[in-house]
């Protein structure tokens, strides 16, 4: 969601700040701004336009500064407006303090009343302004900015990552985090603050990942950190493996299109340790995986959005192949209901960013219920979910910039399938031949994905027929029902066409009432044991005048008929079929959105990494 970049340097850092938040545009935002220290004054620029507009304002003013903060805001408290855009200032009696903030302060109303009683005036609707006045009131008593933030943060309830600057200490930036990511970039005669390593990778690869409750002061010549107890802390430096050019579009028109076509490579990278092996071992998931896997009897999967759909696919695999009862919960719902903790449960969390607030909170809730055996499948090695879990599997999808997830989803599925095979083998439900056959299929998977991607021109032609529709229905059966759900999500995310998915057998139980000539019915039709049942459901659609768009296996042999269009992918891929069948649904959503002229990579009202509830 929101993005933070800060810098304290011996050189002009305005381009660093603006270049950094440009790298964070993919996270979604509705306003942007920059705070800078010049002499003994703070200055700021704010805009409800894109980062490029903020850059133009800075160039027009010929702005220079050695200390500053930049921010992209995704509105939570208060509508998108310049008044609500960050940075926010607190200015009184010659003391000026600026703040940028990701997250939500849940007790902001009580703090607001307290600060108003002290005479502070509010000019925005945000919870953030409460924090900057709070810190200002403490610095005014004689505390340093670092000590003031340390003291004030103990009163803030909720999740936050913050950065502060002050005219009294013009060479420092102070940051703090609780429940929202924040890291330090180490440089020579300069140091940086950011909510995402990708914002800094063009300047430094040396990152320090702050822990829960940490407060940090960065200066051109060093960094000081204290932990949640107020004690001085040392945090290790991690050399980031991100590529500085990983975010370049290359020959593609949008990041989403690029990331769809990066999927074969992302799968190959994710499975590198697996497909080069002769057999599968639990230690793929951590040193203690063998011991933990041997005692589990149930699995609980916690995830949101696209990752939730990956978990639903995994449930079919886990029960059919590994024979383990599995429950999949929407993370934002799980911790707010009275759930029953079952002994011997492995809790699996799935997230692209590893910072999804609802999933992280759900994991902590499960742990508080006594469920201590945890595994995270994630694309970011230093993320909060990875650090919170005993076991982990990194998907190695590389940076995913498009808000609508594509390669993160298929790499999650690949990782989950490996987990299924490991658990099935440990439970003696996987013969040696089956293991070899599955490993062979995984080695072939990137090539199979490339074959499916070759149908893009055919999908683009279908998009012309769908682009003017207002509604769409997606159908699937069995393990492909969650794939239909993912297809519907992609279409509504980026084209703004209302789309819903149903298990095809449910048509007669209500959705069939919606079917007419104006309702495209997009169907996932693999050549599996449910194909005949699915064909009967398709006949129900045609009998009501509906128009079918069917993505089928090459060997499915679906007969030609009126109001039925078919694109054949390839021969049935067995249990790995969902990974292949989601690709044309991604392509369809992309090309429909392209024709409708929407912002494909940054759809309205959405953010890439949802770090607040």
């Amino acid at each position: 969601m929101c993005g933070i970049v800060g810098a304290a340097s011996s050189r002009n850092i305005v381009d660093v700040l603006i270049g950094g938040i440009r790298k964070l545009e993919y996270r979604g935002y509705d306003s942007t701004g920059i705070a800078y220290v010049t002499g003994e004054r703070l200055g700021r620029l704010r805009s409800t336009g894109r980062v490029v507009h903020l850059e133009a304002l800075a160039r027009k003013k010929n702005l220079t500064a050695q200390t500053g903060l930049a921010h992209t805001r995704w509105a939570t408290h208060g509508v998108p407006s310049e008044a609500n855009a960050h940075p926010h200032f607190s200015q009184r009696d010659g003391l000026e303090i600026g703040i940028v903030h990701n997250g939500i302060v849940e007790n902001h109303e009580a703090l607001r009343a307290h600060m108003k009683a002290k005479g502070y005036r509010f000019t925005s609707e945000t919870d953030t302004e409460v924090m900057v006045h709070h810190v200002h009131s403490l610095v005014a008593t004689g505390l340093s900015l670092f000590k003031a933030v340390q003291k004030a943060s103990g009163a803030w309830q909720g999740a936050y990552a913050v950065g502060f600057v002050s005219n009294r200490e013009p060479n420092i930036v102070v940051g703090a985090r609780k429940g929202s990511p924040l890291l330090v970039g180490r440089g020579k005669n300069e140091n940086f603050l950011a909510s995402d390593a990708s914002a800094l990778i063009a300047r430094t690869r040396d990152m320090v990942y702050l822990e829960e409750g940490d407060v940090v002061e960065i200066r051109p010549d060093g960094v000081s950190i204290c932990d949640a107890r107020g004690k001085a802390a040392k945090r290790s430096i991690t050399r980031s493996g991100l590529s500085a050019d990983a975010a370049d579009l290359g020959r593609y028109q949008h990041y989403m299109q690029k990331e769809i076509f990066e999927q074969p490579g992302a799968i190959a990278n994710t499975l590198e340790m697996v497909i080069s092996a002769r057999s599968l071992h639990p230690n793929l998931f951590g040193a203690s995986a063998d011991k933990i896997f041997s005692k589990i009897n149930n699995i609980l999967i916690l995830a949101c959005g696209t990752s939730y759909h990956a978990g639903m696919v995994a449930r079919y695999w886990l029960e059919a192949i590994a024979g383990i009862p599995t429950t999949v919960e929407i993370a934002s719902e799980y911790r707010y209901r009275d759930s029953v903790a079952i002994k011997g449960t492995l809790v699996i969390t799935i997230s692209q960013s590893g910072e999804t607030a609802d999933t992280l909170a759900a994991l902590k809730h499960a742990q508080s219920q006594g469920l201590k055996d945890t595994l995270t499948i994630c694309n970011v090695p230093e993320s909060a979910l990875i650090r919170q879990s005993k076991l982990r599997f990194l998907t190695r999808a590389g940076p995913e910039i498009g808000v609508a997830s594509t390669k993160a989803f298929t790499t999650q599925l690949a990782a989950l399938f490996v987990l299924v095979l490991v658990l099935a083998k440990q439970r003696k439900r996987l013969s040696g031949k089956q293991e070899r056959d599955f490993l062979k299929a995984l080695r072939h998977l990137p090539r199979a994905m490339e074959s499916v991607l070759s149908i893009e021109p055919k999908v683009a032609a279908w998009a012309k027929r769908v682009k003017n529709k207002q509604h769409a229905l997606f159908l699937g059966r069995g393990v492909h029902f969650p794939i239909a759900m993912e297809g519907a999500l992609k279409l509504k995310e980026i084209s703004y066409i209302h789309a819903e998915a149903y298990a095809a057998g449910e048509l007669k139980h209500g959705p069939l009432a919606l079917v007419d000539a104006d309702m495209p019915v997009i169907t996932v039709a693999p050549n599996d044991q449910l194909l005949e049942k699915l064909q009967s459901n398709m006949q129900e659609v045609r009998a009501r005048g509906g128009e079918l768009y069917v993505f089928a296996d090459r060997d499915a042999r679906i007969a030609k008929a009126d109001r039925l269009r078919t694109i054949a992918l390839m021969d049935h891929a067995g249990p790995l079929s969902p990974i292949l069948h989601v690709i044309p649904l991604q392509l369809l959503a992309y090309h429909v959105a392209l024709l409708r002229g929407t912002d494909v990579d940054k759809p309205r009202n959405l953010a890439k990494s949802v770090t607040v509830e």
Side-chain angles (χ1 to χ4, degrees), residues 243-264:
S243 168
D245 61 358
D248 291 342
L249 272 173
R251 64 185 177 89
Y252 296 100
Q253 195 169 352
H254 295 91
Y255 286 111
M256 183 178 179
Q257 184 189 32
K258 176 176 182 274
E259 288 154 10
I260 290 171
F261 279 84
E262 285 178 340
Q263 288 178 114

Side-chain angles (χ1 to χ4, degrees), residues 292-591:
I292 291 174
F293 290 168
S294 66
K295 63 180 182 180
I296 65 167
N297 300 308
N298 307 279
I299 288 177
L300 169 64
I301 298 176
L302 303 171
C304 300
T306 285
S307 296
Y308 172 72
H309 296 157
M312 290 185 68
V313 172
R315 178 187 178 187
Y316 283 92
W317 287 339
L318 284 161
E319 294 191 344
I321 300 172
I324 303 177
T326 301
T327 302
V328 187
E329 295 262 9
I330 297 172
S332 58
E333 292 293 316
Y334 168 73
R335 70 182 177 118
Y336 291 116
R337 70 177 185 82
D338 296 326
S339 57
V340 178
I342 302 174
K343 187 178 179 181
T345 295
L346 173 66
V347 180
I348 300 174
T349 53
I350 311 170
S351 169
Q352 188 280 136
S353 69
E355 303 289 350
T356 307
D358 287 315
T359 307
L360 185 58
L363 173 59
K364 291 177 180 178
H365 176 70
Q367 290 170 328
S368 73
Q369 298 289 99
L371 302 179
K372 303 299 184 183
D373 295 327
T374 55
L375 163 66
T376 285
I377 292 173
C378 177
N379 193 37
V380 181
E382 303 88 359
S383 62
L385 276 171
I386 288 287
R387 296 197 302 270
Q388 190 73 22
S389 300
K390 287 185 179 179
L391 306 177
R392 74 280 307 273
F393 191 102
L394 293 172
T395 53
R396 296 179 65 190
E400 187 181 61
I401 293 173
V403 167
S405 182
T406 52
K407 63 177 180 175
F409 177 68
T410 50
T411 52
Q412 286 170 356
L413 290 180
L416 287 162
F417 192 75
V418 172
L419 175 65
V420 170
L421 297 183
V422 167
L423 292 172
K425 181 179 179 180
Q426 191 169 50
R427 295 165 72 89
K428 302 190 186 308
R429 292 176 60 96
L430 193 70
S431 69
K433 182 181 184 304
Q434 287 174 317
E435 181 181 11
R436 291 190 296 273
D437 288 345
F438 279 131
L439 284 172
K440 182 179 178 181
L442 287 172
R443 292 186 191 105
H444 179 68
L445 186 57
R447 191 178 306 165
M449 297 175 83
E450 289 173 355
S451 175
V452 174
L453 285 165
S454 69
I455 68 168
E456 184 184 27
K458 296 179 181 178
V459 177
W462 277 10
K464 294 176 182 177
R465 304 183 65 88
V466 176
K467 68 173 183 177
N468 292 322
K469 304 297 185 182
Q470 299 304 310
H471 308 276
L473 194 62
F474 285 71
L475 301 179
R477 296 207 70 150
V479 70
H480 293 85
F481 168 46
I483 297 303
M485 294 176 70
E486 177 62 12
L489 176 62
K490 287 291 149 295
L491 188 66
K492 57 189 162 191
E493 277 182 316
I494 63 171
S495 75
Y496 315 145
I497 292 174
H498 172 243
E500 296 297 336
Y502 282 89
E506 287 293 290
L507 266 177
K508 294 186 290 291
H509 301 283
L512 200 57
L514 297 170
V515 172
D516 60 19
D518 291 323
M519 172 76 84
V521 180
I522 295 124
T523 307
V524 182
N527 187 21
D528 59 14
Q529 70 274 18
L530 290 171
L531 180 60
E532 287 188 11
K533 298 287 186 183
L534 181 63
Q535 287 181 313
S536 296
N537 303 138
M538 289 160 56
Q539 290 292 347
E540 294 167 0
V541 171
R542 290 184 57 240
R544 274 77 181 177
E547 193 161 2
L548 284 156
Y549 297 82
V550 183
F551 293 107
D553 286 338
R554 192 163 50 206
D555 50 359
R557 300 185 186 87
I558 294 175
K560 292 183 179 180
D562 293 338
R563 299 185 304 282
L564 188 155
R565 293 173 174 79
T566 304
I567 294 178
L569 307 184
M570 55 181 301
D571 290 344
H572 186 49
L576 293 174
S577 174
I579 298 176
L580 300 176
H581 270 274
V582 76
I583 293 173
L585 302 183
Q586 296 169 347
L587 289 169
L588 180 64
Y590 171 74
H591 282 284

Side-chain angles (χ1 to χ4, degrees), residues 89-124:
F89 281 5
S90 184
Q91 299 167 306
R92 186 171 166 181
D93 300 325
L95 172 62
E96 300 177 337
I97 294 177
I99 184 177
V100 295
H101 167 220
N102 294 353
I104 291 176
V105 179
E106 294 173 352
N107 61 333
H108 70 97
E109 291 290 358
L111 290 171
R112 185 185 299 269
H114 181 63
M115 298 318 300
K116 282 184 175 180
K118 284 180 172 287
Y120 284 92
R121 188 172 66 89
F122 287 78
T123 60
S124 78

